[in-house]
Amino acid sequence: MLIAETMLTANATGDVLNRAVAECEGLKTFPYVLKDGWKRFEPNLDRHLAEPIIERAGISFAYDEAAPEGHRHIAIRRYGPRGRTVARGPDLLIAAMRCRVASEIGDTIVLPHTAPVFC
């Protein structure tokens, strides 16, 4: 029996977050994308990759100075497949990519690898 591992979108970072964004964007060549030559698809780190995604999704931003460290940047998508979506992160790009994923996939990401479970 195989059990899929999951992660909360609100906690996603790195390749897990980037893979989920690639899925939302319909990219089939993860982890690479053809943009001025082949390069890694890392919109959580590269604003040149993130900006078109943010614009297409209509994501806006806010900042909550009173929130705990790592949750102060807020990304908001007012109109998406799941209605209004809000996500937080340690910086604008991570918050925006979490917002993109949460608005399309939901609050939980299914991780690409499954582990065998023996009963």
Side-chain angles (χ1 to χ4, degrees):
M1 180 166 112
L2 293 176
I3 296 181
E5 290 186 60
T6 61
M7 173 183 278
L8 291 176
T9 302
N11 297 332
T13 58
D15 276 347
V16 171
L17 181 57
N18 291 329
R19 181 181 297 274
V21 173
E23 181 181 328
C24 292
E25 292 293 305
L27 298 177
K28 306 291 185 210
T29 58
F30 184 82
Y32 297 97
V33 64
L34 186 59
K35 183 176 177 75
D36 302 324
W38 287 99
K39 64 187 284 184
R40 283 192 59 83
F41 182 72
E42 296 177 318
N44 69 325
L45 298 175
D46 186 342
R47 70 178 182 85
H48 297 291
L49 292 172
E51 285 174 355
I53 296 168
I54 292 166
E55 287 180 25
R56 275 194 305 275
I59 295 172
S60 57
F61 298 98
Y63 185 78
D64 183 359
E65 200 170 287
E69 189 69 36
H71 298 282
R72 292 183 178 162
H73 295 277
I74 304 168
I76 304 145
R77 185 175 187 191
R78 297 192 192 288
Y79 308 103
R82 297 176 176 270
R84 183 173 185 265
T85 306
V86 177
R88 293 174 174 262
D91 61 48
L92 291 176
L93 295 182
I94 291 176
M97 295 306 106
R98 286 176 179 172
C99 185
R100 174 69 176 101
V101 171
S103 72
E104 190 81 26
I105 295 175
D107 294 332
T108 305
I109 299 170
V110 176
L111 301 178
H113 301 290
T114 56
V117 175
F118 301 99
C119 298

Coordinates of all heavy atoms in Angstrom, one line a residue, residues 24-100:
C24 N 0.8 24.4 -11.1 CA -0.3 25.5 -11.3 C -0.1 26.2 -12.6 O -1.1 26.5 -13.3 CB -0.2 26.5 -10.2 SG -0.7 25.9 -8.6
E25 N 1.2 26.4 -13.0 CA 1.4 27.1 -14.3 C 1.4 26.2 -15.5 O 1.6 26.6 -16.6 CB 2.8 27.7 -14.2 CG 2.9 28.9 -13.2 CD 2.0 30.1 -13.6 OE1 2.2 30.6 -14.8 OE2 1.1 30.5 -12.9
G26 N 1.2 24.9 -15.3 CA 1.1 23.9 -16.4 C 2.5 23.6 -17.0 O 2.6 23.1 -18.1
L27 N 3.6 23.8 -16.3 CA 4.9 23.5 -16.8 C 5.2 22.0 -16.7 O 5.0 21.4 -15.6 CB 6.0 24.2 -16.0 CG 5.9 25.8 -16.1 CD1 6.9 26.4 -15.2 CD2 6.0 26.2 -17.5
K28 N 5.7 21.4 -17.7 CA 6.0 20.0 -17.8 C 7.5 19.7 -17.7 O 7.9 18.5 -17.6 CB 5.5 19.4 -19.1 CG 4.0 19.7 -19.4 CD 3.1 18.9 -18.5 CE 1.6 19.2 -18.9 NZ 0.7 19.2 -17.8
T29 N 8.3 20.7 -17.6 CA 9.8 20.5 -17.6 C 10.4 20.8 -16.3 O 11.6 21.1 -16.3 CB 10.4 21.4 -18.7 OG1 10.1 22.7 -18.5 CG2 9.9 21.0 -20.1
F30 N 9.7 20.8 -15.2 CA 10.2 21.1 -13.9 C 11.4 20.1 -13.6 O 11.3 18.9 -13.9 CB 9.2 20.9 -12.8 CG 9.7 21.3 -11.4 CD1 9.8 22.6 -11.0 CD2 10.2 20.4 -10.6 CE1 10.3 23.0 -9.8 CE2 10.7 20.7 -9.3 CZ 10.8 22.0 -9.0
P31 N 12.5 20.6 -13.1 CA 12.8 21.8 -12.5 C 13.4 22.9 -13.4 O 13.9 23.9 -13.0 CB 13.8 21.5 -11.4 CG 14.6 20.4 -12.0 CD 13.6 19.6 -12.9
Y32 N 13.4 22.7 -14.7 CA 14.0 23.7 -15.6 C 12.9 24.3 -16.5 O 11.9 23.7 -16.8 CB 15.0 23.0 -16.5 CG 16.2 22.5 -15.7 CD1 16.2 21.1 -15.4 CD2 17.2 23.3 -15.3 CE1 17.3 20.7 -14.6 CE2 18.2 22.9 -14.5 CZ 18.2 21.5 -14.1 OH 19.2 21.1 -13.3
V33 N 13.2 25.5 -16.9 CA 12.2 26.3 -17.8 C 13.1 27.0 -18.8 O 14.2 27.4 -18.6 CB 11.4 27.3 -17.0 CG1 12.2 28.3 -16.3 CG2 10.3 27.9 -17.8
L34 N 12.5 27.1 -20.0 CA 13.3 27.8 -21.1 C 12.9 29.3 -21.1 O 11.8 29.7 -21.4 CB 12.9 27.2 -22.5 CG 13.6 27.7 -23.7 CD1 15.1 27.4 -23.5 CD2 13.1 27.0 -24.9
K35 N 13.9 30.0 -20.6 CA 13.7 31.5 -20.5 C 15.1 32.0 -20.6 O 15.9 32.0 -19.7 CB 13.1 31.9 -19.1 CG 12.9 33.4 -19.0 CD 12.2 33.7 -17.7 CE 12.0 35.2 -17.5 NZ 11.0 35.8 -18.3
D36 N 15.4 32.6 -21.8 CA 16.8 33.0 -22.1 C 17.8 31.9 -21.9 O 18.8 32.0 -21.2 CB 17.2 34.2 -21.3 CG 16.2 35.4 -21.5 OD1 15.7 35.6 -22.6 OD2 16.0 36.1 -20.5
G37 N 17.4 30.7 -22.4 CA 18.2 29.5 -22.2 C 17.6 28.7 -21.1 O 16.8 29.2 -20.3
W38 N 18.0 27.5 -20.9 CA 17.5 26.7 -19.8 C 18.0 27.1 -18.5 O 19.1 27.4 -18.3 CB 17.8 25.2 -20.0 CG 17.1 24.6 -21.2 CD1 17.5 24.4 -22.4 CD2 15.7 24.1 -21.1 NE1 16.5 23.8 -23.2 CE2 15.4 23.6 -22.4 CE3 14.7 24.0 -20.2 CZ2 14.2 23.1 -22.8 CZ3 13.5 23.5 -20.5 CH2 13.2 23.0 -21.8
K39 N 17.1 27.3 -17.5 CA 17.5 27.7 -16.2 C 16.5 27.0 -15.2 O 15.4 26.6 -15.6 CB 17.5 29.2 -16.0 CG 16.1 29.9 -16.1 CD 16.3 31.4 -16.1 CE 16.5 31.9 -14.7 NZ 16.5 33.3 -14.6
R40 N 16.9 26.9 -13.9 CA 16.1 26.3 -12.9 C 14.8 27.1 -12.7 O 14.9 28.4 -12.7 CB 16.8 26.1 -11.6 CG 17.8 24.9 -11.6 CD 18.3 24.6 -10.3 NE 17.3 24.2 -9.3 CZ 16.7 23.0 -9.1 NH1 17.1 22.1 -10.0 NH2 15.9 22.8 -8.2
F41 N 13.7 26.5 -12.5 CA 12.4 27.2 -12.2 C 12.4 27.4 -10.7 O 12.0 26.5 -10.0 CB 11.3 26.4 -12.8 CG 9.9 27.1 -12.6 CD1 9.6 28.2 -13.3 CD2 9.0 26.6 -11.6 CE1 8.4 28.8 -13.1 CE2 7.8 27.3 -11.4 CZ 7.5 28.4 -12.2
E42 N 12.7 28.6 -10.3 CA 12.7 28.9 -8.8 C 12.1 30.3 -8.6 O 12.7 31.2 -8.2 CB 14.2 28.9 -8.3 CG 14.8 27.6 -8.4 CD 16.3 27.6 -7.9 OE1 17.0 28.6 -8.2 OE2 16.7 26.7 -7.1
P43 N 10.7 30.3 -8.8 CA 10.1 31.6 -8.7 C 10.1 32.1 -7.2 O 9.8 33.3 -7.0 CB 8.7 31.4 -9.2 CG 8.5 29.9 -9.0 CD 9.8 29.3 -9.2
N44 N 10.3 31.2 -6.3 CA 10.4 31.7 -4.9 C 11.7 32.4 -4.6 O 11.8 33.0 -3.5 CB 10.2 30.5 -3.9 CG 11.4 29.5 -3.9 OD1 12.0 29.3 -4.9 ND2 11.7 29.0 -2.8
L45 N 12.7 32.3 -5.5 CA 14.0 33.0 -5.4 C 14.2 34.1 -6.5 O 15.0 35.0 -6.2 CB 15.1 32.0 -5.4 CG 15.1 31.0 -4.3 CD1 16.2 30.0 -4.5 CD2 15.2 31.6 -2.9
D46 N 13.6 33.9 -7.6 CA 13.9 34.7 -8.8 C 12.8 35.6 -9.2 O 11.8 35.1 -9.7 CB 14.3 33.7 -10.0 CG 14.8 34.5 -11.2 OD1 14.5 35.7 -11.3 OD2 15.4 33.8 -12.1
R47 N 12.9 36.9 -8.9 CA 11.7 37.7 -9.2 C 11.4 37.8 -10.6 O 10.3 38.1 -11.0 CB 12.0 39.1 -8.6 CG 13.0 39.9 -9.3 CD 13.2 41.3 -8.6 NE 14.1 42.1 -9.3 CZ 13.9 42.8 -10.4 NH1 12.7 42.9 -10.9 NH2 14.8 43.5 -11.0
H48 N 12.4 37.6 -11.5 CA 12.1 37.6 -13.0 C 11.2 36.5 -13.4 O 10.4 36.6 -14.3 CB 13.4 37.6 -13.8 CG 14.2 38.8 -13.5 ND1 13.9 40.0 -13.9 CD2 15.4 38.9 -12.9 CE1 14.8 40.9 -13.6 NE2 15.8 40.2 -12.9
L49 N 11.2 35.4 -12.7 CA 10.3 34.3 -12.9 C 9.0 34.5 -12.2 O 7.9 34.1 -12.6 CB 10.9 32.9 -12.5 CG 12.0 32.4 -13.3 CD1 12.7 31.2 -12.6 CD2 11.6 32.1 -14.7
A50 N 9.0 35.1 -11.0 CA 7.9 35.3 -10.2 C 6.9 36.4 -10.7 O 5.7 36.3 -10.6 CB 8.3 35.6 -8.7
E51 N 7.5 37.5 -11.2 CA 6.7 38.7 -11.5 C 5.6 38.4 -12.5 O 4.4 38.8 -12.3 CB 7.5 39.8 -12.0 CG 8.3 40.5 -10.9 CD 9.3 41.6 -11.4 OE1 9.5 41.7 -12.6 OE2 9.8 42.3 -10.5
P52 N 5.8 37.6 -13.6 CA 4.7 37.3 -14.5 C 3.6 36.4 -13.9 O 2.4 36.6 -14.2 CB 5.4 36.5 -15.7 CG 6.8 36.8 -15.6 CD 7.1 37.1 -14.1
I53 N 4.0 35.6 -13.0 CA 3.1 34.7 -12.3 C 2.2 35.6 -11.4 O 1.0 35.5 -11.3 CB 3.8 33.6 -11.4 CG1 4.5 32.7 -12.4 CG2 2.8 32.9 -10.5 CD1 5.5 31.7 -11.7
I54 N 2.8 36.5 -10.6 CA 2.1 37.4 -9.7 C 1.1 38.3 -10.5 O 0.0 38.4 -10.1 CB 3.1 38.3 -8.9 CG1 3.9 37.4 -8.0 CG2 2.4 39.4 -8.2 CD1 5.2 38.1 -7.4
E55 N 1.6 38.8 -11.7 CA 0.7 39.6 -12.5 C -0.5 38.9 -13.0 O -1.6 39.3 -13.0 CB 1.5 40.3 -13.6 CG 2.4 41.4 -13.1 CD 3.2 42.0 -14.3 OE1 2.7 42.0 -15.4 OE2 4.3 42.6 -14.0
R56 N -0.2 37.7 -13.6 CA -1.3 36.8 -14.2 C -2.3 36.5 -13.1 O -3.5 36.4 -13.4 CB -0.7 35.6 -14.8 CG -0.3 35.7 -16.2 CD -0.1 34.3 -16.8 NE 0.8 33.5 -16.1 CZ 2.2 33.5 -16.2 NH1 2.8 34.3 -17.0 NH2 2.9 32.6 -15.6
A57 N -1.8 36.2 -11.9 CA -2.7 35.8 -10.8 C -3.4 36.9 -10.1 O -4.4 36.7 -9.4 CB -2.0 34.9 -9.8
G58 N -3.0 38.1 -10.4 CA -3.6 39.3 -9.7 C -3.3 39.4 -8.2 O -4.2 39.7 -7.5
I59 N -2.1 39.0 -7.8 CA -1.7 39.0 -6.4 C -1.3 40.3 -6.0 O -0.5 41.0 -6.6 CB -0.6 37.9 -6.2 CG1 -1.2 36.5 -6.5 CG2 -0.1 38.0 -4.8 CD1 -0.1 35.4 -6.5
S60 N -1.8 40.8 -4.8 CA -1.4 42.0 -4.2 C -0.7 41.7 -2.9 O -0.8 40.6 -2.4 CB -2.5 43.0 -4.1 OG -3.6 42.4 -3.3
F61 N -0.1 42.7 -2.2 CA 0.6 42.5 -1.0 C 0.3 43.4 0.1 O -0.2 44.5 -0.1 CB 2.1 42.7 -1.3 CG 2.7 41.7 -2.3 CD1 2.8 42.1 -3.7 CD2 3.0 40.4 -2.0 CE1 3.2 41.2 -4.6 CE2 3.4 39.5 -2.9 CZ 3.6 39.9 -4.2
A62 N 0.6 42.9 1.3 CA 0.4 43.7 2.5 C 1.6 43.3 3.5 O 2.3 42.3 3.2 CB -0.9 43.5 3.2
Y63 N 1.8 44.1 4.5 CA 2.8 43.8 5.5 C 2.2 43.9 6.9 O 1.6 44.9 7.2 CB 4.0 44.7 5.3 CG 5.2 44.4 6.2 CD1 6.0 43.4 5.9 CD2 5.4 45.1 7.4 CE1 7.1 43.1 6.7 CE2 6.5 44.8 8.2 CZ 7.3 43.8 7.8 OH 8.4 43.5 8.7
D64 N 2.4 42.9 7.7 CA 1.9 42.9 9.1 C 3.1 43.0 10.1 O 3.7 41.9 10.4 CB 1.0 41.7 9.3 CG 0.4 41.6 10.7 OD1 0.6 42.6 11.5 OD2 -0.3 40.7 10.9
E65 N 3.4 44.1 10.5 CA 4.5 44.3 11.4 C 4.3 43.6 12.8 O 5.3 43.2 13.4 CB 4.7 45.8 11.7 CG 6.1 46.2 12.2 CD 6.3 47.7 12.2 OE1 6.4 48.3 11.1 OE2 6.3 48.3 13.3
A66 N 3.1 43.4 13.2 CA 2.8 42.7 14.5 C 2.9 41.2 14.4 O 2.9 40.6 15.4 CB 1.5 43.2 15.0
A67 N 2.9 40.7 13.2 CA 2.9 39.2 13.1 C 4.3 38.6 13.5 O 5.3 39.4 13.4 CB 2.6 38.8 11.6
P68 N 4.3 37.3 13.8 CA 5.6 36.7 14.1 C 6.6 36.7 12.9 O 6.1 36.7 11.8 CB 5.3 35.3 14.5 CG 3.8 35.2 14.5 CD 3.2 36.4 13.9
E69 N 7.9 36.7 13.2 CA 8.9 36.7 12.2 C 8.6 35.5 11.3 O 8.3 34.4 11.7 CB 10.3 36.5 12.8 CG 11.4 36.7 11.9 CD 11.6 38.1 11.4 OE1 11.3 39.0 12.1 OE2 11.9 38.3 10.2
G70 N 8.7 35.7 10.0 CA 8.5 34.6 9.0 C 7.0 34.6 8.5 O 6.7 33.9 7.6
H71 N 6.2 35.5 9.0 CA 4.8 35.5 8.6 C 4.3 37.0 8.4 O 3.1 37.2 8.3 CB 3.9 34.9 9.7 CG 4.2 33.5 9.9 ND1 3.8 32.5 9.1 CD2 4.9 32.9 10.9 CE1 4.2 31.3 9.5 NE2 4.9 31.5 10.6
R72 N 5.2 37.9 8.2 CA 4.9 39.3 8.1 C 4.5 39.7 6.7 O 3.7 40.6 6.6 CB 6.0 40.2 8.6 CG 6.3 40.0 10.1 CD 7.3 40.9 10.6 NE 7.4 40.7 12.0 CZ 8.5 41.0 12.8 NH1 9.5 41.6 12.2 NH2 8.5 40.8 14.0
H73 N 5.0 39.0 5.7 CA 4.6 39.4 4.3 C 3.3 38.6 3.9 O 3.2 37.4 4.1 CB 5.7 39.0 3.4 CG 7.0 39.9 3.6 ND1 7.1 41.1 3.1 CD2 8.1 39.6 4.3 CE1 8.3 41.6 3.5 NE2 8.9 40.7 4.2
I74 N 2.4 39.4 3.4 CA 1.1 38.8 3.1 C 0.8 39.0 1.6 O 1.0 40.1 1.1 CB 0.0 39.5 3.9 CG1 0.3 39.4 5.4 CG2 -1.4 38.9 3.6 CD1 -0.6 40.3 6.2
A75 N 0.4 37.9 1.0 CA 0.0 37.9 -0.4 C -1.5 37.6 -0.5 O -2.0 36.7 0.2 CB 0.8 36.9 -1.3
I76 N -2.2 38.4 -1.3 CA -3.7 38.2 -1.4 C -4.1 38.1 -2.9 O -3.7 38.9 -3.7 CB -4.4 39.5 -0.9 CG1 -3.9 39.7 0.6 CG2 -5.9 39.3 -0.9 CD1 -3.8 41.1 1.0
R77 N -4.8 37.0 -3.2 CA -5.4 36.9 -4.5 C -6.9 37.0 -4.3 O -7.5 36.1 -3.7 CB -5.0 35.5 -5.1 CG -5.5 35.4 -6.6 CD -5.1 34.1 -7.2 NE -5.5 34.1 -8.6 CZ -5.4 33.1 -9.4 NH1 -4.9 31.9 -8.9 NH2 -5.7 33.1 -10.6
R78 N -7.5 38.1 -4.8 CA -8.9 38.4 -4.6 C -9.8 37.4 -5.4 O -10.9 37.1 -4.9 CB -9.2 39.8 -4.9 CG -8.4 40.8 -4.0 CD -8.9 42.2 -4.1 NE -8.0 43.1 -3.4 CZ -7.9 43.2 -2.1 NH1 -8.5 42.4 -1.3 NH2 -7.1 44.1 -1.6
Y79 N -9.5 37.1 -6.6 CA -10.4 36.3 -7.5 C -9.6 35.2 -8.0 O -8.8 35.4 -9.0 CB -10.9 37.2 -8.6 CG -11.6 38.4 -8.1 CD1 -10.9 39.7 -8.2 CD2 -12.8 38.4 -7.5 CE1 -11.5 40.8 -7.8 CE2 -13.4 39.6 -7.0 CZ -12.8 40.8 -7.2 OH -13.3 41.9 -6.7
G80 N -9.8 34.0 -7.5 CA -9.1 32.8 -8.0 C -10.1 31.7 -8.1 O -11.2 31.8 -7.7
P81 N -9.6 30.5 -8.5 CA -10.5 29.3 -8.6 C -11.2 29.0 -7.2 O -12.2 28.4 -7.2 CB -9.6 28.2 -9.0 CG -8.4 28.9 -9.7 CD -8.3 30.2 -9.0
R82 N -10.5 29.3 -6.1 CA -11.0 29.0 -4.8 C -11.5 30.3 -4.1 O -11.6 30.3 -2.9 CB -10.0 28.3 -4.0 CG -9.6 27.0 -4.5 CD -8.5 26.4 -3.7 NE -8.2 25.1 -4.2 CZ -8.7 23.9 -3.8 NH1 -9.6 24.0 -2.9 NH2 -8.4 22.8 -4.3
G83 N -11.8 31.4 -4.9 CA -12.2 32.6 -4.3 C -11.0 33.4 -3.7 O -9.9 33.3 -4.2
R84 N -11.2 34.2 -2.7 CA -10.2 35.0 -2.1 C -9.2 34.1 -1.4 O -9.6 33.3 -0.6 CB -10.8 36.0 -1.2 CG -9.8 36.9 -0.5 CD -10.5 38.0 0.3 NE -9.6 39.0 0.8 CZ -9.1 39.0 2.0 NH1 -9.4 38.0 2.8 NH2 -8.3 39.9 2.4
T85 N -7.9 34.3 -1.6 CA -6.9 33.5 -1.0 C -5.8 34.4 -0.4 O -5.4 35.4 -1.0 CB -6.2 32.6 -2.0 OG1 -7.2 31.8 -2.7 CG2 -5.2 31.6 -1.4
V86 N -5.4 34.1 0.9 CA -4.4 34.8 1.6 C -3.3 33.9 2.0 O -3.6 32.8 2.5 CB -5.0 35.6 2.8 CG1 -3.9 36.3 3.6 CG2 -6.1 36.5 2.4
A87 N -2.1 34.3 1.8 CA -0.9 33.5 2.2 C 0.1 34.4 2.8 O 0.2 35.5 2.5 CB -0.3 32.7 1.1
R88 N 0.9 33.8 3.8 CA 2.0 34.6 4.4 C 3.3 33.9 4.2 O 3.4 32.7 3.9 CB 1.7 34.6 5.9 CG 0.5 35.4 6.3 CD 0.2 35.3 7.8 NE -0.8 36.2 8.2 CZ -0.6 37.4 8.7 NH1 0.6 37.9 8.9 NH2 -1.7 38.2 9.0
G89 N 4.4 34.7 4.4 CA 5.7 34.1 4.2 C 6.8 35.0 4.7 O 6.5 36.2 5.1
P90 N 8.0 34.5 4.7 CA 9.1 35.3 5.3 C 9.6 36.4 4.3 O 10.2 37.4 4.7 CB 10.3 34.3 5.4 CG 9.9 33.2 4.5 CD 8.4 33.2 4.4
D91 N 9.2 36.3 3.0 CA 9.4 37.4 2.1 C 8.3 37.4 1.0 O 7.4 36.6 1.0 CB 10.8 37.2 1.4 CG 10.9 35.9 0.6 OD1 10.0 35.6 -0.2 OD2 12.0 35.3 0.8
L92 N 8.3 38.4 0.2 CA 7.2 38.6 -0.8 C 7.1 37.5 -1.8 O 6.0 37.1 -2.1 CB 7.4 39.9 -1.5 CG 7.2 41.2 -0.7 CD1 7.5 42.4 -1.6 CD2 5.8 41.3 -0.2
L93 N 8.2 37.0 -2.3 CA 8.1 35.9 -3.3 C 7.6 34.6 -2.7 O 6.8 34.0 -3.4 CB 9.5 35.7 -3.9 CG 10.1 36.9 -4.7 CD1 11.4 36.5 -5.3 CD2 9.1 37.4 -5.8
I94 N 8.0 34.2 -1.6 CA 7.5 33.0 -1.0 C 6.0 33.2 -0.6 O 5.2 32.3 -0.9 CB 8.3 32.6 0.3 CG1 9.7 32.1 -0.2 CG2 7.6 31.5 1.1 CD1 10.6 31.7 0.9
A95 N 5.6 34.3 -0.1 CA 4.2 34.6 0.2 C 3.4 34.5 -1.1 O 2.3 33.9 -1.1 CB 4.0 35.9 0.9
A96 N 3.9 35.1 -2.1 CA 3.2 35.2 -3.4 C 3.0 33.8 -4.0 O 1.9 33.4 -4.5 CB 3.9 36.1 -4.4
M97 N 4.1 33.0 -4.0 CA 4.0 31.6 -4.6 C 3.1 30.7 -3.7 O 2.4 29.9 -4.3 CB 5.4 31.0 -4.7 CG 6.3 31.8 -5.7 SD 5.6 32.0 -7.4 CE 5.1 33.7 -7.3
R98 N 3.2 30.9 -2.4 CA 2.2 30.1 -1.6 C 0.8 30.5 -1.9 O -0.1 29.6 -1.9 CB 2.5 30.4 -0.1 CG 3.8 29.7 0.4 CD 4.0 30.1 1.9 NE 5.2 29.4 2.4 CZ 5.8 29.6 3.6 NH1 5.2 30.6 4.3 NH2 6.8 29.0 4.0
C99 N 0.6 31.8 -2.1 CA -0.8 32.3 -2.5 C -1.2 31.7 -3.8 O -2.4 31.2 -3.9 CB -0.8 33.8 -2.5 SG -2.4 34.5 -2.8
R100 N -0.3 31.6 -4.8 CA -0.7 31.1 -6.1 C -1.0 29.6 -6.0 O -2.0 29.2 -6.5 CB 0.6 31.2 -7.0 CG 0.4 30.6 -8.4 CD -0.6 31.3 -9.2 NE -0.7 30.7 -10.5 CZ -1.6 29.8 -10.9 NH1 -2.6 29.5 -10.1 NH2 -1.6 29.4 -12.2

